[in-house]
Amino acid sequence: MKVFELKTKKREKTGKKETVKLRKQEMVPCVMYGAGEIVHFYAHKNEFKDLVYTDNVYRIQLDIDGKKYDAIMQDLQFHPVTDDILHVDFLNITEAEPFAVKLPVKFVGTAPGVVQGGGKLRLRKRYLRVQGLLKDIPENIEIDISKLKVNDGFKVGDLKRDNLTFLDRHDNQVVAVISGRAAAAAMTIEEPEVEAEEGEEAEGEEAGGEGDTEGSSEE
């Protein structure tokens, strides 16, 4: 995984008034779980631009008043009108413990079903959830599409990676080459796919804990 360094300050006080004060100073309140303690901290909103507004998934080296942690970003809250970042949840990770993370999908090659067969490449999942040790987590999930003909594709269950467990349902389609006629019909009758699988939202809410409550009650 790519590494992103984030220098932050520990919060001495929490609560609604302190959070409002931080946001007026263009600071983003954060919380980290999984380190044997819940750590509250903050950083200026500009520090998050290259972390949040990208397709990359980072191993984050958190510096909280000089104390170092490895973490991944677990949840984000945005203001419904301004899209400002309201709150960020982090999960502390270690070399010894497996963890789950959502990785971007990257395609390699060109599908002959598109070039020669007139088909359309249909991407159903831009991210896949995997679980593994830190040393085994890649930057993305590469999928070679160079042999896909019309009506061929990959489901989650078709993907195999050493030392990684795919957490999405194995019958979920990731990518497929469909005929031009089927693609036109699909555009008119299919609803957009919801990336989060059933159960993920509940898991995120549970992980959010105090941070979620804080973010929602203090706007």
Side-chain angles (χ1 to χ4, degrees):
M1 296 177 72
K2 293 182 178 180
V3 176
F4 187 95
E5 295 182 0
L6 183 61
K7 195 167 185 178
T8 70
K9 294 278 190 181
K10 189 171 183 178
R11 293 181 64 177
E12 299 300 329
K13 298 179 181 179
T14 59
K16 181 174 180 179
K17 289 183 179 179
E18 293 299 323
T19 301
V20 170
K21 187 186 299 184
L22 282 177
R23 289 176 180 154
K24 285 182 178 179
Q25 297 169 353
E26 299 189 324
M27 301 294 179
V28 177
C30 307
V31 64
M32 183 181 68
Y33 301 93
E37 58 178 333
I38 298 176
V39 184
H40 295 272
F41 55 99
Y42 65 92
H44 193 274
K45 66 178 185 180
N46 291 341
E47 299 295 324
F48 294 90
K49 288 182 179 179
D50 293 335
L51 176 62
V52 172
Y53 304 107
T54 176
D55 289 332
N56 294 324
V57 176
Y58 289 102
R59 168 187 178 179
I60 303 160
Q61 292 184 341
L62 278 176
D63 181 329
I64 305 177
D65 281 343
K67 190 171 182 179
K68 305 293 181 64
Y69 301 88
D70 277 327
I72 57 171
M73 193 164 55
Q74 190 84 331
D75 189 40
L76 276 169
Q77 295 175 27
F78 293 93
H79 192 281
V81 177
T82 66
D83 278 340
D84 287 340
I85 302 172
L86 292 178
H87 197 275
V88 185
D89 286 3
F90 292 88
L91 174 68
N92 178 238
I93 59 175
T94 68
E95 297 278 358
E97 295 292 331
F99 63 93
V101 63
K102 229 178 208 183
L103 297 178
V105 174
K106 179 182 178 182
F107 296 117
V108 177
T110 302
V114 174
V115 177
Q116 302 167 5
K120 303 291 183 181
L121 191 70
R122 181 171 66 177
L123 172 62
R124 295 304 304 269
K125 278 192 167 293
R126 293 178 56 242
Y127 291 85
L128 291 169
R129 282 180 59 83
V130 301
Q131 185 176 45
L133 294 174
L134 180 57
K135 66 181 180 65
D136 298 318
I137 302 292
E139 294 180 6
N140 50 57
I141 301 297
E142 283 195 358
I143 299 178
D144 186 352
I145 60 172
S146 60
K147 295 183 180 179
L148 291 186
K149 300 176 182 178
V150 175
N151 296 325
D152 288 343
F154 288 103
K155 294 181 179 180
V156 174
D158 299 323
L159 307 177
K160 308 296 180 185
R161 298 294 186 274
D162 291 341
N163 303 319
L164 287 184
T165 301
F166 286 88
L167 301 179
D168 296 285
R169 284 178 46 174
H170 284 197
D171 60 348
N172 281 355
Q173 190 177 67
V174 181
V175 62
V177 177
I178 61 176
S179 68
R181 181 177 299 178
M187 290 178 63
T188 61
I189 64 175
E190 285 192 352
E191 296 182 359
E193 180 196 13
V194 177
E195 279 292 333
E197 297 296 335
E198 183 178 353
E200 286 184 12
E201 182 179 353
E203 177 184 338
E205 290 173 356
E206 181 179 350
E210 182 179 337
D212 283 348
T213 304
E214 182 179 83
S216 61
S217 64
E218 293 168 5
E219 293 177 37

